Amino acid sequence: MLRKIKRLLMAVFIVSILSVIGAYAGYRWFRANSTNSNQYIVEWLNDAENHPNYEAVALLRCGDAPFIMPTTGFIGLFWRDSSAPYNVMRRHTALDIFGNGALGTVPVYAAYDGYLTRQDTWLSTVIIRHDDPLQAGRTIWTYYTHMASLDGSQNYISDAFPQGTSNQFVAQGTLLGYQGLYNPPFPIAMHVHFSIVTSHPNGSFKNEAVLANTLDPSPYLGFDVNANTATHPATCRE
Ligand SMILES: [Zn+2]
């Protein structure tokens, strides 16, 4: 009996040690894969005036990049970013660009020539179809969202693009709307979420919320905005 108890205690001891080691390894892995974006976002939101170098400027073309910067602000969350509200298991599919201004006043522009759609149910979102300038023959989409007030009662999308707009040509630099706060269920500060989305074989856009359906915006913008390598503040690589 005593021997059985001893064996049981030993087993419990070994399992406990392994659990602690496992938890520690998991923590180290999580930390090693986490980005430090949140601390920069807080600095920017609290004191933008003293961080002018954090700001990327709308309509800027970096070198010979095909896209222009779609809005003015701090690129606070990168593509593949694992900072909150994301994590290493659920990475950010886009760029979050945080403007410095009153709600509904920071313009958002089309990053490239294309054909705009705003579905019937889309309150704060537009999507634009493009011929991929970096891969001939491929259809890609740029996606812009959160362009409404916190509760969705006011939307900040240009009157030119009412709900139900389909395949309307927009030139690069066309005003789409203004940065907003509409982001249920995780409202953060005013920003625009800008992503590049790939297509199904029939050319329709894939689900933007899935990382594998999105592209690294870095070569399109000329900025390093891939969380694997990017550092804050992202600047033109020219
Ligand atoms: Zn986002």
Side-chain angles (χ1 to χ4, degrees):
M1 182 68 180
L2 197 60
R3 210 182 220 178
K4 259 190 184 167
I5 290 173
K6 260 189 180 169
R7 243 191 242 156
L8 184 67
L9 283 176
M10 186 54 93
V12 168
F13 177 72
I14 289 170
V15 167
S16 305
I17 291 289
L18 288 177
S19 304
V20 169
I21 292 171
Y24 182 68
Y27 169 76
R28 290 293 301 263
W29 178 82
F30 200 83
R31 284 300 299 260
N33 282 280
S34 294
T35 54
N36 61 354
S37 295
N38 289 156
Q39 82 185 60
Y40 284 90
I41 294 170
V42 168
E43 280 177 20
W44 170 252
L45 295 178
N46 286 339
D47 192 11
E49 308 310 325
N50 280 316
H51 298 93
N53 61 320
Y54 282 20
E55 191 166 75
V57 178
L59 307 175
L60 171 81
R61 182 189 306 279
C62 176
D64 55 2
F67 285 11
I68 55 170
M69 189 56 63
T71 191
T72 295
F74 173 52
I75 305 171
L77 280 186
F78 292 132
W79 182 74
R80 293 193 88 255
D81 212 312
S82 57
S83 290
Y86 299 88
N87 57 60
V88 292
M89 305 303 290
R90 196 174 76 90
R91 292 173 183 271
H92 194 221
T93 62
L95 304 181
D96 279 357
I97 308 173
F98 295 84
N100 175 29
L103 188 60
T105 69
V106 180
V108 177
Y109 303 99
Y112 193 62
D113 289 354
Y115 294 84
L116 181 144
T117 289
R118 182 182 176 200
Q119 294 186 342
D120 290 338
T121 56
W122 286 4
L123 183 69
S124 73
T125 305
V126 298
I127 196 165
I128 305 175
R129 176 170 54 81
H130 311 280
D131 293 326
D132 187 341
L134 298 184
Q135 191 175 314
R138 179 163 76 165
T139 298
I140 58 171
W141 303 75
T142 52
Y143 178 89
Y144 314 73
T145 194
H146 309 324
M147 292 184 283
S149 58
L150 181 63
D151 64 0
S153 61
Q154 274 181 289
N155 86 73
Y156 305 138
I157 293 178
S158 164
D159 292 341
F161 312 115
Q163 286 173 321
T165 297
S166 176
N167 260 310
Q168 185 171 326
F169 178 75
V170 288
Q172 183 174 53
T174 299
L175 176 69
L176 304 178
Y178 301 89
Q179 293 187 26
L181 267 175
Y182 186 70
N183 190 16
F186 299 117
I188 37 177
M190 180 186 78
H191 69 283
V192 71
H193 169 107
F194 168 75
S195 60
I196 305 176
V197 189
T198 55
S199 303
H200 292 291
N202 70 359
S204 63
F205 56 85
K206 289 186 176 173
N207 179 0
E208 187 273 342
V210 176
L211 184 65
N213 295 342
T214 62
L215 298 173
D216 177 2
S218 303
Y220 292 88
L221 289 170
F223 283 58
D224 184 4
V225 288
N226 181 334
N228 285 354
T229 50
T231 52
H232 290 293
T235 48
C236 175
R237 289 191 291 212
E238 194 181 13

Tab-separated table of all heavy atoms in Angstrom, residues 1-12:
chain	number	residue	atom	x	y	z
A	1	MET	N	0.836	-1.210	0.000
A	1	MET	CA	0.000	0.000	0.000
A	1	MET	C	0.866	1.253	0.000
A	1	MET	O	0.702	2.148	-0.817
A	1	MET	CB	-0.909	-0.040	1.248
A	1	MET	CG	-1.849	1.134	1.332
A	1	MET	SD	-3.110	1.059	0.020
A	1	MET	CE	-4.024	2.509	0.375
A	2	LEU	N	1.825	1.286	0.938
A	2	LEU	CA	2.728	2.421	1.044
A	2	LEU	C	3.484	2.627	-0.270
A	2	LEU	O	3.658	3.751	-0.742
A	2	LEU	CB	3.719	2.169	2.192
A	2	LEU	CG	4.450	3.437	2.669
A	2	LEU	CD1	3.461	4.485	3.166
A	2	LEU	CD2	5.454	3.077	3.756
A	3	ARG	N	3.873	1.494	-0.854
A	3	ARG	CA	4.605	1.559	-2.129
A	3	ARG	C	3.745	2.193	-3.222
A	3	ARG	O	4.224	3.030	-3.981
A	3	ARG	CB	4.953	0.132	-2.528
A	3	ARG	CG	6.231	0.088	-3.312
A	3	ARG	CD	6.523	-1.303	-3.721
A	3	ARG	NE	7.912	-1.593	-3.600
A	3	ARG	CZ	8.404	-2.792	-3.873
A	3	ARG	NH1	7.594	-3.775	-4.203
A	3	ARG	NH2	9.682	-3.008	-3.787
A	4	LYS	N	2.469	1.819	-3.236
A	4	LYS	CA	1.524	2.363	-4.233
A	4	LYS	C	1.380	3.874	-4.072
A	4	LYS	O	1.402	4.629	-5.035
A	4	LYS	CB	0.146	1.708	-4.051
A	4	LYS	CG	-0.101	0.615	-5.061
A	4	LYS	CD	-1.537	0.173	-5.016
A	4	LYS	CE	-1.751	-0.995	-5.963
A	4	LYS	NZ	-3.036	-1.637	-5.729
A	5	ILE	N	1.265	4.279	-2.806
A	5	ILE	CA	1.120	5.724	-2.539
A	5	ILE	C	2.369	6.471	-2.993
A	5	ILE	O	2.307	7.526	-3.620
A	5	ILE	CB	0.833	5.978	-1.039
A	5	ILE	CG1	-0.572	5.473	-0.723
A	5	ILE	CG2	0.974	7.448	-0.697
A	5	ILE	CD1	-0.937	5.498	0.733
A	6	LYS	N	3.533	5.855	-2.684
A	6	LYS	CA	4.797	6.485	-3.077
A	6	LYS	C	4.857	6.649	-4.585
A	6	LYS	O	5.244	7.695	-5.107
A	6	LYS	CB	5.971	5.601	-2.617
A	6	LYS	CG	6.620	6.078	-1.339
A	6	LYS	CD	7.878	5.277	-1.095
A	6	LYS	CE	8.582	5.714	0.170
A	6	LYS	NZ	9.638	4.777	0.522
A	7	ARG	N	4.463	5.565	-5.274
A	7	ARG	CA	4.489	5.609	-6.745
A	7	ARG	C	3.549	6.700	-7.282
A	7	ARG	O	3.884	7.438	-8.188
A	7	ARG	CB	4.053	4.252	-7.295
A	7	ARG	CG	5.174	3.597	-8.089
A	7	ARG	CD	4.653	2.401	-8.828
A	7	ARG	NE	5.329	1.210	-8.368
A	7	ARG	CZ	4.839	-0.016	-8.450
A	7	ARG	NH1	3.629	-0.200	-8.938
A	7	ARG	NH2	5.526	-1.043	-8.048
A	8	LEU	N	2.374	6.758	-6.662
A	8	LEU	CA	1.388	7.747	-7.082
A	8	LEU	C	1.923	9.170	-6.873
A	8	LEU	O	1.827	10.027	-7.741
A	8	LEU	CB	0.095	7.550	-6.286
A	8	LEU	CG	-1.063	8.462	-6.706
A	8	LEU	CD1	-1.528	8.097	-8.117
A	8	LEU	CD2	-2.226	8.322	-5.731
A	9	LEU	N	2.542	9.378	-5.693
A	9	LEU	CA	3.091	10.712	-5.407
A	9	LEU	C	4.174	11.074	-6.406
A	9	LEU	O	4.246	12.215	-6.884
A	9	LEU	CB	3.657	10.745	-3.980
A	9	LEU	CG	2.601	10.845	-2.884
A	9	LEU	CD1	3.256	10.761	-1.506
A	9	LEU	CD2	1.801	12.144	-3.008
A	10	MET	N	5.012	10.078	-6.738
A	10	MET	CA	6.078	10.326	-7.698
A	10	MET	C	5.489	10.720	-9.050
A	10	MET	O	5.964	11.662	-9.693
A	10	MET	CB	6.943	9.063	-7.835
A	10	MET	CG	8.165	9.260	-8.708
A	10	MET	SD	9.192	10.659	-8.186
A	10	MET	CE	10.345	9.825	-7.125
A	11	ALA	N	4.426	10.009	-9.461
A	11	ALA	CA	3.792	10.310	-10.748
A	11	ALA	C	3.230	11.732	-10.733
A	11	ALA	O	3.413	12.496	-11.687
A	11	ALA	CB	2.684	9.296	-11.033
A	12	VAL	N	2.564	12.085	-9.626
A	12	VAL	CA	2.002	13.428	-9.511
A	12	VAL	C	3.113	14.470	-9.595
A	12	VAL	O	3.004	15.497	-10.297
A	12	VAL	CB	1.214	13.583	-8.188
A	12	VAL	CG1	0.878	15.049	-7.918
A	12	VAL	CG2	-0.051	12.734	-8.230
